[in-house]
Amino acid sequence: NAGVTQTPKFQVLKTGQSMTLQCAQDMNHEYMSWYRQDPGMGLRLIHYSVGAGITDQGEVPNGYNVSRSTTEDFPLRLLSAAPSQTSVYFCASSYFLGPEGGYTFGSGTRLTVV
Amino acid sequence: RKEVEQDPGPFNVPEGATVAFNCTYSNSASQSFFWYRQDCRKEPKLLMSVYSSGNEDGRFTAQLNRASQYISLLIRDSKLSDSATYLCVVDSGGGADGLTFGKGTHLIIQP
């Protein structure tokens, strides 16, 4: 049982480049989300999905796109990378939310935009 | 705006001591509460959910005070391995966008 798998673990991009961060989970979780974590900040929600074919924006969606064609995969696309997108990105999934829930996080992608 | 506030620390605590930290939340409609642990350069991991009646898991005790809108985490007989950042997480309902993360409290257990 792999849990939540994120690739790549590290990435350096030049300003203006695009790329896709991959996230896959094998737990049949309905909920999946992308967060970014910056020094001195809490995790901030970028986009989320409550099931295949359904996505919605979080707190900081600008500059990012997502899609959810399958239950397992939830890729995050950076359209035109900017230095402000330098961050650690975490993908998370959950079967459901509530007292018995809680998110399982991937190990993160450390992105640097130069 | 939903807010979750934590003392960032660091809390420097000798091994074997008891340490407690609180987290306050602004949204009185919040429904679920969690403590996550995050080690340096690692992903957050669920430590425990927080129930209205309070709950205990080994050396860890979590309590919720809805009237004052805060949750607490108590660690007894602290171990060196407890050194980490502890994130308070509040779910205000409404789906995946209802989770709000605190910035975390940094705990250092000293030998």
Side-chain angles (χ1 to χ4, degrees):
Chain A
N1 190 344
V4 179
T5 302
Q6 285 186 240
T7 56
K9 292 190 182 302
F10 301 93
Q11 184 70 50
V12 178
L13 286 179
K14 294 182 178 179
T15 298
Q17 286 185 316
S18 62
M19 77 160 294
T20 299
L21 308 185
Q22 301 292 344
C23 176
Q25 51 90 10
D26 61 359
M27 299 172 284
N28 202 32
H29 284 173
E30 291 294 327
Y31 292 99
M32 296 187 75
S33 302
W34 277 101
Y35 290 86
R36 61 178 288 174
Q37 188 174 36
D38 302 292
M41 307 284 289
L43 277 84
R44 292 183 292 169
L45 181 65
I46 304 171
H47 285 284
Y48 67 97
S49 169
V50 299
I54 306 169
T55 63
D56 210 341
Q57 296 181 350
E59 180 185 356
V60 288
N62 292 340
Y64 308 95
N65 273 352
V66 291
S67 59
R68 184 94 180 271
S69 56
T70 67
T71 299
E72 294 78 19
D73 300 297
F74 191 43
L76 177 72
R77 281 182 292 277
L78 278 70
L79 308 173
S80 177
S84 60
Q85 294 179 304
T86 294
S87 188
V88 181
Y89 292 85
F90 289 105
C91 178
S93 74
S94 174
Y95 185 66
F96 60 92
L97 295 175
E100 303 303 322
Y103 275 7
T104 300
F105 284 84
S107 59
T109 296
R110 296 185 177 276
L111 175 68
T112 302
V113 182
V114 298
Chain B
R1 184 175 179 275
K2 298 174 286 188
E3 290 187 351
V4 175
E5 300 289 340
Q6 296 182 252
D7 183 339
F11 284 52
N12 289 283
V13 175
E15 189 176 11
T18 296
V19 60
F21 21 85
N22 291 341
C23 160
T24 60
Y25 60 95
S26 62
N27 188 346
S28 59
S30 298
Q31 300 176 6
S32 304
F33 309 87
F34 309 92
W35 283 103
Y36 278 73
R37 171 194 169 123
Q38 186 172 25
D39 294 294
C40 187
R41 302 178 72 82
K42 299 285 190 181
E43 73 273 22
K45 293 184 178 179
L46 179 64
L47 178 65
M48 59 197 304
S49 301
V50 186
Y51 301 111
S52 295
S53 56
N55 48 299
E56 188 174 306
D57 183 2
R59 297 181 293 108
F60 298 84
T61 300
Q63 298 214 321
L64 167 64
N65 185 317
R66 285 191 183 273
S68 300
Q69 295 184 202
Y70 75 85
I71 66 174
S72 63
L73 179 67
L74 179 80
I75 306 174
R76 291 181 298 277
D77 188 23
S78 54
K79 313 291 185 189
L80 295 177
S81 58
D82 294 333
S83 297
T85 297
Y86 291 83
L87 307 178
C88 173
V89 183
V90 175
D91 175 18
S92 300
D97 63 338
L99 281 183
T100 302
F101 287 79
K103 297 177 184 178
T105 295
H106 188 38
L107 175 64
I108 301 171
I109 305 300
Q110 297 175 327

